[in-house]
């Protein structure tokens, strides 16, 4: 089965394809020649994820899924949240991480979580899948793998940041992995 993943983020596409397996062929926006800047104006991950699938359904009539995810930090009122990609006003992750570390300062409460919401549009029906991983924000970057805020996030029960883990290790426990596993279970149950 072929599904369009409403993303331009190559890291995410790779992570998702690895989890879903070969039975489902996942194509990106680039693969279908979609160069539109799909609006992400919602105030929740759910709204943004659905905006992505609504856009593809309306424009191409394709079966698709889209996700929105981000980092939620307790001491910052769950920021950066839906603003994770552009927290500092730019997509520059160095600046975004700097801003998080600056805002947290020496606050002892470092509790944070990553959350993903996937919107799936299939057979004229809308479905949602969610994944969360709890952890904490450290005071300095560690590791060079992954992407986004990975160098400053340590999941509970681990001593390494996401950026210090191999892709396979991160893929076993990440917020996206949890949500994608729920999506995969749903698809396998109905379509295999
Ligand atoms: P698309 O919208 O094109 O899919 P994106 O980079 O904006 O790609 P998201 O909306 O899912 O991706 O995530 C928003 C930001 O949240 C992302 O740019 C990262 O800064 C952060 N983020 C999401 N998942 C992450 C992860 O697994 N590790 C580290 N940071 C992550």
């Amino acid at each position: 089965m072929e599904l369009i993943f409403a993303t331009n983020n190559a890291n995410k596409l790779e992570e998702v394809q690895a989890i879903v397996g070969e039975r489902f062929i996942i194509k990106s926006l680039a693969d279908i020649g979609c160069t539109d800047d799909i609006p992400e104006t919602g105030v929740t991950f759910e709204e943004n994820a659905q905006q992505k699938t609504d856009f593809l359904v309306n424009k191409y009539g394709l079966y698709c899924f889209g996700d929105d995810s981000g980092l939620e930090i307790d001491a910052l009122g769950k920021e950066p949240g839906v603003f994770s990609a552009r927290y500092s006003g730019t997509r520059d992750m160095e600046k975004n991480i700097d801003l998080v570390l600056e805002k947290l300062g020496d606050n002892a409460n470092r509790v944070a979580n990553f959350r993903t919401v996937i919107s799936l549009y299939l057979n004229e029906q809308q479905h949602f899948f969610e994944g969360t991983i709890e952890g904490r924000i450290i005071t300095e970057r560690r590791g060079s793998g992954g992407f986004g805020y990975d160098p400053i996030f340590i999941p509970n029960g681990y001593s390494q940041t996401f950026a210090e883990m191999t892709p396979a290790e991160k893929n076993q426990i990440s917020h996206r992995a949890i949500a994608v596993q729920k999506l995969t279970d749903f698809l396998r149950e109905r379509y295999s």
Side-chain angles (χ1 to χ4, degrees):
M1 176 183 284
E2 194 172 285
L3 281 170
I4 313 305
F5 183 10
T7 186
N8 282 314
N9 182 326
N11 291 289
K12 279 169 50 173
L13 191 75
E14 222 171 88
E15 283 186 8
V16 168
Q17 184 71 71
I19 298 162
V20 168
E22 286 167 11
R23 191 176 316 199
F24 301 98
I25 297 163
I26 310 295
K27 294 198 161 173
S28 69
L29 293 175
D31 291 332
I32 61 165
C34 174
T35 53
D36 299 285
D37 197 11
I38 302 179
E40 273 184 73
T41 55
V43 295
T44 63
F45 294 130
E46 284 79 0
E47 283 173 11
N48 282 337
Q50 188 171 351
Q51 275 185 347
K52 295 179 185 180
T53 48
D54 283 351
F55 183 91
L56 290 184
V57 171
N58 291 333
K59 183 157 182 188
Y60 300 98
L62 293 168
Y63 291 152
C64 54
F65 64 94
D67 78 332
D68 194 30
S69 42
L71 178 65
E72 299 180 313
I73 302 174
D74 283 16
L76 302 183
K78 293 286 182 187
E79 279 189 7
V82 290
F83 306 111
S84 293
R86 297 177 163 271
Y87 196 39
S88 64
T90 77
R91 277 195 165 265
D92 182 339
M93 279 319 296
E94 293 306 312
K95 291 191 175 139
N96 291 335
I97 289 179
D98 282 344
L99 184 58
V100 162
L101 294 180
E102 187 190 311
K103 284 200 177 196
L104 268 180
D106 57 6
N107 196 324
N109 179 5
R110 320 290 296 186
V111 174
N113 65 271
F114 275 116
R115 195 154 72 86
T116 293
V117 174
I118 294 175
S119 158
L120 168 71
Y121 185 81
L122 191 61
N123 294 333
E124 285 51 74
Q125 284 188 343
Q126 173 79 49
H127 306 271
F128 288 101
F129 307 91
E130 206 233 352
T132 302
I133 180 148
E134 308 283 343
R136 68 179 202 277
I137 302 296
I138 55 173
T139 52
E140 284 172 352
R141 295 163 172 82
R142 272 174 30 197
S144 54
F147 70 101
Y149 298 91
D150 283 346
I152 55 166
F153 180 83
I154 298 185
N156 286 347
Y158 293 80
S159 54
Q160 291 178 312
T161 65
F162 265 171
E164 291 176 307
M165 294 181 180
T166 64
E169 282 167 337
K170 181 184 171 189
N171 267 344
Q172 269 180 5
I173 58 170
S174 81
H175 51 306
R176 187 167 304 103
I178 295 167
V180 172
Q181 194 58 60
K182 289 179 186 170
L183 167 73
T184 306
D185 291 346
F186 175 89
L187 292 172
R188 289 205 174 132
E189 225 169 73
R190 301 203 175 192
Y191 300 99
S192 57

